[in-house]
Amino acid sequence: MISVLILVLALTLIAIGMPVAFAIGIAGTSYFLLPSTFLPDSTAVQRIVAVSQSFPLLAVPLFILLGNLMNGSGITERLLRLASTLAGWMRGGLAQSSILLSALMGGVSGSAVADAAMQARVLGVPMVKRGYSPGFAGALLAIGGIITATIPPSLGLILYGYLGEVSIGRLFIAGIVPGALLTVALMATTAVVARRRGYVPEKERPPTLAEVWHDFVQGFWAVLFPVWLLVGIRFGLFTPSEAGAFAILYALIVGMFIYRELTPRRVLDAFLQTLNDIGMIMLIILFSGTFGYVITFERVPQDIAAFALTALTDPTVLLFVVCGFLLVLGMLIEATVLVMLLTPILVPVITAAGIDPVHFGLVMMTLVTFGGMTPPVGVSMFTVCGILRCSYRDYTIEALPFIGAVLGTVVIMILFPQIVLFLPNWLM
């Protein structure tokens, strides 16, 4: 009951116009001031500090800086040019290109929040300048980060496999097809919205092979950029956080010495812009640590899970109920926290019910990551809206078609598990 009141307080503060970070922080901290709470007040401060001690969280500021450097180094322009050549002839050509680029770079950082922040800088600003509404651009880029949950390297899949004693290799292979399905679903949704809005194609006709080859050669170092990151992470050369540092060095070298577009002045501007972005985004993330702690301390996830898993016996119905429960919690708690908290609880239950843990792992990661892109307290949503300066109301309205596309894909994954499992079963 107390957790419900805390959530209502946060939503009320946001509704009356209080900055999101302070609304979440006040709501979460107020829990420790209640007479019925036996935790010391200092716990609220400790939870805020604890969030800042997360090593994977280092990927967020690093990839925000990377996005700003890419804008001034020539890498972004060349990647956009190639993506526009491949998809620019479709309705809403630049938006379609952004989804292709999201799929190409979706697993670069392994973090949906980091990818959303980077791509909002890289793609969101050019989209707004070309006539797309900030809400549409923000929703598209934030929800496009859902691909990170499935296409390896996914931090969530690694944690799930470790905690649930599930083969991480099978999880990685199984994530390829759902990632492709999500890309197709988002592109199809974008085409429908673009037709209604009158977003015209960037190109009059599909590209020829010669045109594709020309743009590929012109942007070779830009195309090689995500390849280096993916190969390095997949073969264990560096962690996602270390990949951010490597990517920054790569962008500096390519921008300064190969494309020669990254001047010292542009580097300074990138650092200054990054400071502004990090200050805004990290404050939200830090205060969300207290809020998430209240939810978990009140045992909300365990209570809901216990009810859902004991009241149902049919595997498909059980999976749908658990997925609804994960979707709701994903809107309130960061995905990594949910994975670490619920994986040891849910995996034995769904395995006993006859559900393949690899299948469940992909569905679970998609939903808990997706929750961070939706109201009321989605961190990816806050990040993108802050960078693009769009209201949460506009974002929510524009996100509805994409929310439907993602949920529709999840339903297909649940009803037809072989779509997820055939590739790992075939290769392993």
Side-chain angles (χ1 to χ4, degrees):
M1 182 62 183
I2 296 179
S3 58
V4 175
L5 295 177
I6 296 298
L7 176 60
V8 171
L9 175 60
L11 294 176
T12 302
L13 293 175
I14 294 174
I16 64 177
M18 178 173 288
V20 175
F22 295 110
I24 295 175
I26 291 173
T29 305
S30 64
Y31 172 82
F32 299 93
L33 303 177
L34 296 175
S36 59
T37 303
F38 299 100
L39 293 173
D41 301 345
S42 59
T43 304
V45 180
Q46 292 172 359
R47 298 317 305 172
I48 294 174
V49 175
V51 173
S52 68
Q53 305 304 305
S54 172
F55 183 74
L57 190 63
L58 184 61
V60 176
L62 287 176
F63 276 90
I64 291 175
L65 175 58
L66 172 62
N68 290 322
L69 286 174
M70 287 175 66
N71 281 333
S73 66
I75 293 177
T76 300
E77 180 182 348
R78 287 165 174 80
L79 285 176
L80 281 175
R81 189 181 305 159
L82 176 60
S84 181
T85 299
L86 293 173
W89 57 276
M90 304 177 185
R91 279 280 184 176
L94 187 58
Q96 300 285 15
S97 301
S98 72
I99 297 175
L100 284 182
L101 197 57
S102 297
L104 176 65
M105 302 177 64
V108 163
S109 70
S111 166
V113 179
D115 282 349
M118 178 181 67
Q119 294 190 30
R121 275 284 164 218
V122 173
L123 300 169
V125 175
M127 287 179 65
V128 173
K129 289 182 178 178
R130 298 193 190 187
Y132 294 83
S133 69
F136 175 81
L140 176 68
L141 296 175
I143 296 180
I146 192 69
I147 300 171
T148 305
T150 58
I151 294 182
S154 167
L155 295 178
L157 288 179
I158 295 173
L159 286 174
Y160 173 86
Y162 171 74
L163 295 171
E165 298 182 356
V166 182
S167 169
I168 296 176
R170 287 179 61 86
L171 288 168
F172 275 10
I173 296 173
I176 296 175
V177 173
L181 288 177
L182 287 168
T183 302
V184 172
L186 291 175
M187 291 186 72
T189 303
T190 301
V192 174
V193 175
R195 181 176 295 275
R196 292 179 178 177
R197 298 282 181 83
Y199 294 148
V200 297
E202 297 287 311
K203 308 286 184 179
E204 296 180 355
R205 56 175 176 76
T208 63
L209 290 177
E211 291 172 338
V212 174
W213 177 251
H214 176 268
D215 285 342
F216 176 80
V217 172
Q218 291 292 319
F220 173 75
W221 292 104
V223 174
L224 193 62
F225 159 73
V227 175
W228 276 117
L229 292 184
L230 292 174
V231 170
I233 294 175
R234 280 164 170 72
F235 288 95
L237 299 181
F238 36 63
T239 66
S241 297
E242 294 166 346
F246 167 81
I248 290 172
L249 179 62
Y250 183 88
L252 288 171
I253 293 174
V254 171
M256 286 182 165
F257 302 108
I258 298 179
Y259 294 151
R260 298 183 178 180
E261 296 183 16
L262 190 60
T263 63
R265 178 62 189 178
R266 288 188 174 184
V267 174
L268 179 60
D269 290 340
F271 274 92
L272 292 176
Q273 184 61 57
T274 301
L275 286 175
N276 291 330
D277 293 341
I278 291 175
M280 170 191 62
I281 295 167
M282 293 304 295
L283 193 61
I284 296 174
I285 295 176
L286 293 178
F287 282 138
S288 68
T290 302
F291 190 87
Y293 179 79
V294 172
I295 298 294
T296 55
F297 184 79
E298 285 289 311
R299 298 186 57 83
V300 175
Q302 293 91 330
D303 292 343
I304 298 177
F307 170 79
L309 298 175
T310 56
L312 303 167
T313 56
D314 183 84
T316 303
V317 176
L318 173 63
L319 191 53
F320 270 110
V321 172
V322 172
C323 287
F325 151 70
L326 291 174
L327 179 61
V328 172
L329 286 183
M331 298 177 184
L332 305 174
I333 306 173
E334 201 271 331
T336 303
V337 176
L338 279 180
V339 172
M340 297 181 67
L341 178 67
L342 294 181
T343 296
I345 300 173
L346 296 180
V347 169
V349 176
I350 61 101
T351 302
I355 300 171
D356 191 295
V358 173
H359 174 217
F360 175 72
L362 269 301
V363 175
M364 176 179 179
M365 277 313 307
T366 302
L367 287 174
V368 298
T369 305
F370 180 59
M373 303 164 185
T374 59
V377 290
V379 176
S380 293
M381 176 187 71
F382 294 148
T383 301
V384 171
C385 287
I387 292 175
L388 297 181
R389 303 293 188 267
C390 67
S391 70
Y392 303 121
R393 177 182 178 276
D394 292 342
Y395 174 97
T396 303
I397 294 174
E398 298 281 11
L400 291 177
F402 300 108
I403 291 174
V406 172
L407 294 181
T409 304
V410 172
V411 169
I412 293 175
M413 291 168 59
I414 294 174
L415 294 178
F416 305 98
Q418 285 305 312
I419 292 178
V420 178
L421 297 175
F422 88 91
L423 196 57
N425 289 342
W426 177 46
L427 295 178
M428 301 180 70

